[in-house]
Amino acid sequence: MVNHDLIEQSYVLAKEQYAGLGVDTDNVIKLMDKIIISLHCWQADDVGGFETPDAELGGGGIQVTGNYPGKARTAEEMRSDLEKVMSLLPGKQKLNLHAIYGDFGGEFIDRDKIETKHFQEWINWAKNAGIGMDFNCTCFSHPKADDGFTLSSKNETNRKFWIEHVKRCREIGAEMGKQLNNPCIHNLWIPDGSKDTPVDRYTHRAILKESLDEIFSVEYPLDHLKDSLESKLFGIGSESMVVGSYDFYLSYAIRNNKLICLDNGHYHPTEQIGDKISSCLLFLDELMLHVTRGVRWDSDHVVTLNDEIMLIAQEIVRSAALDRVNIGLDFFDASINRIGAYVTGTRAAQQAFMIALLEPGKILKEYEENGNYFERLAMLELMKTKPFGAVWDYYCLVSGIPVGEDYIEEIQSYEQEVLSKRG
Ligand code: RNT
Ligand code: ZN
């Protein structure tokens, strides 16, 4: 087990080093507790959901690979997994649920028929845990999405079906926000697009706009529900056009005062989401993030502490916008212990924010304003080898959760005692 005395001693030394640069580490630790990460439930079961006993992710341009044993098969199993995950994370979280994860009681309830009652157990669970909830309509893994179109479909029956689904999801989300006294973000992502070059992009986008207008004609108080829109560049099977592109949703969000959801796996490989944050914040009240890691064709690998994630966190902190950015995660890896993936990815996202908060902002800004660009570069480089890990470990220690590598063992025992017993 990691030696707690050493963690405390290392913290004292680290604290002094950061203080020398005008950074108050005790304050950073306090701020960390205010950074709420929304845990995406779908890492626990590979985006399968509980509509049918063997539901699997189908279509929609997202893929999950791997068949590591132990995935959550029921809402009860998922709640147990989430409790384990939260017990291994510092700070507070939120739960981010997809519409296919209701407690449907063994009955098949189609997407245009779901109601708050199917999510009441989740709401009660969240209330009990003292956390908020976010919600997502599920416009994929369904026969009415098989032709690649949902809200932008030229098939009126299908389009109406999806509009009804999203309307119900927003109603359910608003009820979550109301009951939990914590605004629910309803995020909308649709897979609509085409594998080969289409000739009528315009009409599909016009139809999507019309569908959104109809969906959002129902208004909810902002302290119950906020709407976010998530774009994508391409997916498997939608390589040549995605109807809900970044230009489309950014324009829609600005005109209609919605949130944009930036999923950092959904852009060109050299495009930095970190750079977009300040621009979006000047024209939108709030943002939603899907923090993820893109690897070649996949946009959903487990988050690691890489430059991209760090820039995102730094730009939010540097813009003093922590209260305007809602942080969600979006990754699903079925090839490793899913709970381990969860905790490792979430901790990485949290660490990025801690690193950003430990930045000597005043000194760096002064350098920049005086044109001292060598000094700025040097300081940014120096920060990379400062004892961030000592502050992080101490934060875990005072949060009463396993420190350092101790969490690995916790996950191994959960695997032995719980996950390995699932068929
Ligand atoms: C898909 C989007 C979307 C999904 C989840 C399951 O490319 O990123 O956010 O991953 O809704
Ligand atoms: Zn996403």
Side-chain angles (χ1 to χ4, degrees), residues 287-314:
L287 305 180
M288 173 78 192
L289 294 182
H290 271 186
V291 179
T292 189
R293 176 164 53 110
V295 177
R296 301 194 188 279
W297 59 264
D298 181 44
S299 58
D300 302 294
H301 269 57
V302 181
V303 171
T304 55
L305 185 57
N306 60 19
D307 284 355
E308 194 181 342
I309 302 303
M310 286 195 279
L311 184 67
I312 291 172
Q314 283 162 336

Side-chain angles (χ1 to χ4, degrees), residues 40 42 47 57 60-62 98 136-138 140 187-190 230-232 234-235 261 263 266 290 292 299-300 329-332:
H40 57 312
W42 52 95
V47 212
L57 174 63
I62 40 178
H98 242 285
N136 305 261
C137 51
T138 312
F140 50 84
N187 182 56
L188 179 132
W189 174 76
I190 58 166
E230 180 182 5
S231 68
K232 194 163 177 169
F234 80 92
C261 170
D263 179 316
H266 289 186
H290 271 186
T292 189
S299 58
D300 302 294
L329 304 166
D330 188 7
F331 53 81
F332 29 99

Side-chain angles (χ1 to χ4, degrees), residues 45-328:
D45 83 324
D46 320 332
V47 212
F50 307 133
E51 288 178 317
T52 56
D54 322 297
E56 270 183 25
L57 174 63
I62 40 178
Q63 292 278 321
V64 62
T65 45
N67 52 6
Y68 199 87
K71 81 172 174 188
R73 297 160 302 175
T74 61
E76 287 73 38
E77 287 182 353
M78 185 171 263
R79 287 191 269 269
S80 147
D81 288 356
L82 286 160
E83 280 162 23
K84 187 73 212 175
V85 169
M86 292 195 294
S87 77
L88 300 175
L89 295 172
K92 262 244 155 100
Q93 288 80 41
K94 236 179 155 185
L95 167 68
N96 196 4
L97 207 64
H98 242 285
I100 46 178
Y101 291 93
D103 284 277
F104 300 117
E107 215 185 311
F108 178 71
I109 313 283
D110 211 348
R111 308 265 171 98
D112 62 341
K113 299 281 181 312
I114 56 168
E115 293 172 52
T116 301
K117 67 175 189 208
H118 302 117
F119 299 89
Q120 194 56 51
E121 291 251 4
W122 278 111
I123 302 176
N124 297 346
W125 177 83
K127 191 172 226 163
N128 212 15
I131 63 173
M133 283 180 79
D134 294 324
F135 199 49
N136 305 261
C137 51
T138 312
C139 301
F140 50 84
S141 304
H142 191 280
K144 286 199 167 60
D146 277 351
D147 67 354
F149 294 97
T150 63
L151 292 178
S152 77
S153 178
K154 291 187 180 182
N155 175 325
E156 200 53 19
T157 315
N158 286 358
R159 188 176 81 96
K160 286 255 139 65
F161 173 87
W162 291 112
I163 289 177
E164 180 61 26
H165 172 61
V166 183
K167 279 187 159 171
R168 282 173 181 251
C169 287
R170 290 182 70 241
E171 190 183 328
I172 295 165
E175 189 56 32
M176 289 172 171
K178 188 175 159 195
Q179 288 193 34
L180 296 171
N181 208 1
N182 187 334
C184 167
I185 311 239
H186 178 268
N187 182 56
L188 179 132
W189 174 76
I190 58 166
D192 301 32
S194 113
K195 181 185 176 78
D196 220 332
T197 314
V199 293
D200 192 11
R201 296 170 200 251
Y202 188 91
T203 306
H204 280 295
R205 291 191 168 127
I207 295 173
L208 176 55
K209 178 174 175 290
E210 218 179 283
S211 299
L212 294 180
D213 288 346
E214 183 173 340
I215 287 165
F216 295 132
S217 67
V218 184
E219 288 186 36
Y220 295 97
L222 279 180
D223 46 358
H224 297 171
L225 187 80
K226 294 174 186 173
D227 293 292
S228 74
L229 300 166
E230 180 182 5
S231 68
K232 194 163 177 169
L233 179 65
F234 80 92
I236 306 295
S238 61
E239 291 85 353
S240 298
M241 178 209 41
V242 164
V243 181
S245 60
Y246 185 51
D247 314 66
F248 179 92
Y249 283 131
L250 185 61
S251 311
Y252 193 92
I254 291 171
R255 178 172 283 185
N256 298 285
N257 205 14
K258 300 292 172 199
L259 279 65
I260 191 92
C261 170
L262 300 170
D263 179 316
N264 61 294
H266 289 186
Y267 296 81
H268 287 281
T270 61
E271 215 175 337
Q272 292 278 346
I273 278 15
D275 179 61
K276 299 180 188 303
I277 286 164
S278 48
S279 299
C280 291
L281 282 172
L282 284 165
F283 299 96
L284 300 169
D285 293 336
E286 287 183 38
L287 305 180
M288 173 78 192
L289 294 182
H290 271 186
V291 179
T292 189
R293 176 164 53 110
V295 177
R296 301 194 188 279
W297 59 264
D298 181 44
S299 58
D300 302 294
H301 269 57
V302 181
V303 171
T304 55
L305 185 57
N306 60 19
D307 284 355
E308 194 181 342
I309 302 303
M310 286 195 279
L311 184 67
I312 291 172
Q314 283 162 336
E315 278 302 306
I316 295 167
V317 171
R318 290 167 182 168
S319 311
L322 277 170
D323 56 342
R324 291 171 61 199
V325 181
N326 305 278
I327 309 157

